[in-house]
Amino acid sequence: MIEAAVRQGFRVFALTEHMPRDEDVDLYPEEIEASQTPADLSTTFDAYYHEARRLQEAYASQIKILIGFESDWIRPSSETLIEDLRQKYAFDLFVGSVHHLNTIAIDFDRPLYEKARHTVGGTDEDAFVAYFDAQLDMLQRLKPPIVGHFDLIRLRSDDPNVDFRTFPRVWDKIVRNLEFVVQYGGVVEINSAALRKGMHDPYPNRRIVEVFIGLGGRLTLSDDSHATDQVGQNYHRLVGYLRDLGVTEIYYFDVGTADVGGVPTLCMQRRFLRASYAPG
């Protein structure tokens, strides 16, 4: 993946492996099928971290690599698991995300989404309300520097291209969450994975982005790549999407100079949006 990023001309590239989950009930069907355990996930994550640090050094002359993780906010005890992870490893950043409702995955497939939706009332609107409430809980407890796939909940819903404004109580919660992100200084990713999965807009959809930029919110780009052929995928479409919304600048994270304690500081850099994007 690093070599794919280098070929495309990336100057900074963040690796954010999913954090390990610590309960059997949280395993995804594909993990169960592979006979994996939570201990296996922890072992895999540890291997990821150390390999990422090796690559960070090996490719330092070609690209700046930031090392982090993507959180799974499943239940209140997730906060302890996340903080333990941050204590154990020296991460450059992390992404705050929600992938579950009432401990049931919402993004794996339609049957699991329907099961999760049933536990919160049975309709998409109920699922949306529960999701954005869970997201607020995550935001308030973690204050993540990057908010991942803000409206992931629409992926398996009846209408993945839903206009959330048709559900006033959902829309109020969306605006509330965006206001909180701006308040604590978080950055929302524009995530191209939604385009890869057939949706019209990336995450978050254009109505959400309009509100966020109106609040003075800051945006960054993400391909959410899980394979080498997904690195930078659909970034050319992201440029057009953002320009249509009047966005002229984006932000990316960088590791700055060490502070007096010798610890590198995480900073944000602003870049003006180019008129086009063409992979190298």
Side-chain angles (χ1 to χ4, degrees):
M1 293 183 78
I2 299 302
E3 291 180 349
V6 170
R7 285 195 302 271
Q8 294 187 44
F10 281 77
R11 297 180 182 178
V12 179
F13 192 72
L15 300 173
T16 53
E17 177 64 84
H18 283 268
M19 63 177 282
R21 283 153 276 118
D22 64 343
E23 295 193 25
D24 289 338
V25 70
D26 298 333
L27 294 171
Y28 279 84
E30 60 188 2
E31 294 166 341
I32 295 171
E33 185 177 347
S35 300
Q36 291 186 306
T37 66
D40 293 328
L41 300 184
S42 293
T43 298
T44 298
F45 188 89
D46 187 72
Y48 149 75
Y49 178 81
H50 291 292
E51 176 64 4
R53 285 296 178 201
R54 185 189 73 80
L55 293 170
Q56 185 181 52
E57 182 176 348
Y59 285 87
S61 64
Q62 301 178 63
I63 190 170
K64 181 168 287 188
I65 300 172
L66 303 182
I67 301 171
F69 70 96
E70 182 176 0
S71 70
D72 270 317
W73 189 261
I74 302 175
R75 55 182 65 83
S77 62
S78 295
E79 182 177 9
T80 300
L81 186 61
I82 292 165
E83 291 307 316
D84 288 347
L85 204 64
R86 295 178 67 190
Q87 289 293 321
K88 183 176 180 178
Y89 301 102
F91 295 113
D92 298 317
L93 49 73
F94 73 98
V95 180
S97 301
V98 176
H99 303 91
H100 298 75
L101 289 182
N102 284 342
T103 75
I104 302 169
I106 58 171
D107 60 332
F108 184 77
D109 59 20
R110 175 71 181 190
L112 273 179
Y113 171 78
E114 290 178 346
K115 181 179 180 182
R117 183 175 64 180
H118 178 74
T119 69
V120 295
T123 69
D124 275 348
E125 182 178 7
D126 294 325
F128 299 159
V129 166
Y131 173 83
F132 288 111
D133 279 345
Q135 184 183 71
L136 180 65
D137 191 30
M138 179 274 294
L139 293 171
Q140 291 176 330
R141 291 173 181 269
L142 300 181
K143 295 183 175 62
I146 303 169
V147 183
H149 40 60
F150 185 91
D151 53 349
L152 177 68
I153 189 64
R154 63 187 167 98
L155 173 62
R156 305 294 181 183
S157 68
D158 293 340
D159 179 10
N161 299 306
V162 60
D163 183 345
F164 290 108
R165 298 175 302 175
T166 61
F167 304 107
R169 64 186 182 124
V170 175
W171 188 245
D172 287 346
K173 293 176 185 295
I174 288 172
V175 174
R176 172 201 65 190
N177 291 9
L178 295 174
E179 290 174 340
F180 185 74
V181 174
V182 172
Q183 176 187 324
Y184 79 79
V187 176
V188 167
E189 64 168 14
I190 301 296
N191 186 318
S192 66
L195 302 176
R196 186 172 76 236
K197 296 175 182 181
M199 286 177 263
H200 297 162
D201 288 346
Y203 304 119
N205 71 25
R206 64 185 60 241
R207 300 310 174 202
I208 294 174
V209 176
E210 286 172 344
V211 172
F212 191 58
I213 60 177
L215 292 169
R218 294 174 293 188
L219 303 168
T220 192
L221 300 185
S222 168
D223 55 28
D224 206 343
S225 52
H226 288 62
T228 56
D229 63 349
Q230 296 171 357
V231 173
Q233 191 176 69
N234 287 313
Y235 266 25
H236 63 292
R237 294 175 63 186
L238 292 190
V239 171
Y241 174 74
L242 291 172
R243 284 195 168 275
D244 285 347
L245 290 168
V247 176
T248 58
E249 57 189 33
I250 56 172
Y251 290 78
Y252 68 92
F253 288 81
D254 200 354
V255 176
T257 56
D259 62 18
V260 293
V263 179
T265 56
L266 189 65
C267 57
M268 278 184 291
Q269 303 285 347
R270 184 178 66 178
R271 286 292 179 268
F272 292 102
L273 204 60
R274 295 187 305 179
S276 62
Y277 170 83

